[in-house]
Amino acid sequence: MKAKFFCYLPYRVVTGLLIIMCLHSPGFSQAAKIGSLAYLRARNGIGGFNLGGLLTGEQEQALTYIDGEGSKPDADSCVTYEYHSDKQLELEGGLTATHICVRTWQNKVVNIYVFFNRNQGYKMLSKFLHWYGTFTAKPNDYQDVYLWDSRTVKLLLRYHPDDDQGIAVFTSVPLTNTINAQNAKRLTQLLTSNE
């Protein structure tokens, strides 16, 4: 009996040490730090709206269809709503939005569109740089367009001096991939049924 116990002891010790090492590794033990894409993934939205999540009852009451009552889904089977408020919308970090639109698929939030006055563009950029770190792409050197791209959340910020409003678009990457896969499947079925 003692021989069996000692045979298993090193295995248990090694397993225990591996578990302790994993729990103390940066991926497991540290919360997402401000100034990183991990923070963008952890926040997963803005203004109380969370990507991939269902809308709360309070949020649903403040939403109306973007295209009028009884709006039909778009080509991706998504429905877009506009959030209505009597006053300017206060966001985190002292940011304000003129209005917010939310695009859903099967009642899950796919995109959050935050519109803001163009004079807030630099403030938005400054806050996003502070929260999410340096943008991962700047598609055009001559325009104020910035992209933060992580595995689960994409954020696009765009503002231009000639436009009245700027926009920040938060996108759920997993839901977008699911929608794209569904569309590809529908297209394949349509093409094979026409043959």
Side-chain angles (χ1 to χ4, degrees):
M1 183 74 160
K2 287 183 181 181
K4 285 185 179 179
F5 175 76
F6 287 114
C7 289
Y8 290 113
L9 182 63
Y11 172 76
R12 289 184 178 162
V13 170
V14 169
T15 303
L17 288 173
L18 285 173
I19 291 171
I20 290 170
M21 288 172 32
C22 286
L23 291 176
H24 289 290
S25 72
F28 285 96
S29 65
Q30 295 180 353
K33 291 183 180 181
I34 290 180
S36 69
L37 286 177
Y39 192 65
L40 175 63
R41 290 191 302 268
R43 295 217 30 217
N44 196 35
I46 194 166
F49 293 98
N50 293 316
L51 295 170
L54 299 172
L55 297 170
T56 66
E58 185 179 321
Q59 289 171 334
E60 284 181 342
Q61 290 177 351
L63 294 173
T64 58
Y65 291 112
I66 196 86
D67 295 327
E69 204 161 317
S71 181
K72 294 183 180 180
D74 63 17
D76 291 332
S77 301
C78 294
V79 177
T80 304
Y81 301 95
E82 185 172 8
Y83 182 77
H84 288 282
S85 179
D86 296 336
K87 58 181 182 170
Q88 200 170 30
L89 301 168
E90 298 289 328
L91 303 173
E92 297 89 356
L95 299 175
T96 55
T98 56
H99 65 281
I100 294 178
C101 292
V102 179
R103 185 170 174 250
T104 64
W105 178 75
Q106 296 183 351
N107 295 325
K108 295 177 186 172
V109 178
V110 179
N111 302 100
I112 305 165
Y113 304 94
V114 179
F115 297 90
F116 54 90
N117 289 328
R118 71 170 176 229
N119 60 0
Q120 292 251 333
Y122 183 74
K123 186 176 183 181
M124 282 277 194
L125 175 61
S126 178
K127 285 291 184 185
F128 289 171
L129 287 170
H130 171 72
W131 289 336
Y132 313 130
T134 304
F135 44 86
T136 55
K138 188 168 184 335
N140 187 325
D141 290 335
Y142 303 105
Q143 293 181 354
D144 291 316
V145 179
Y146 307 90
L147 178 66
W148 288 262
D149 194 354
S150 75
R151 290 187 315 264
T152 58
V153 179
K154 283 186 182 181
L155 168 59
L156 174 82
L157 175 66
R158 186 184 76 213
Y159 60 94
H160 190 272
D162 295 335
D163 296 334
D164 290 335
Q165 292 190 323
I167 186 171
V169 181
F170 293 78
T171 302
S172 168
V173 174
L175 279 178
T176 300
N177 291 342
T178 301
I179 292 167
N180 291 341
Q182 172 190 283
N183 290 342
K185 183 178 178 182
R186 276 195 306 212
L187 182 60
T188 302
Q189 289 172 345
L190 182 65
L191 291 174
T192 56
S193 68
N194 288 337
E195 290 179 355

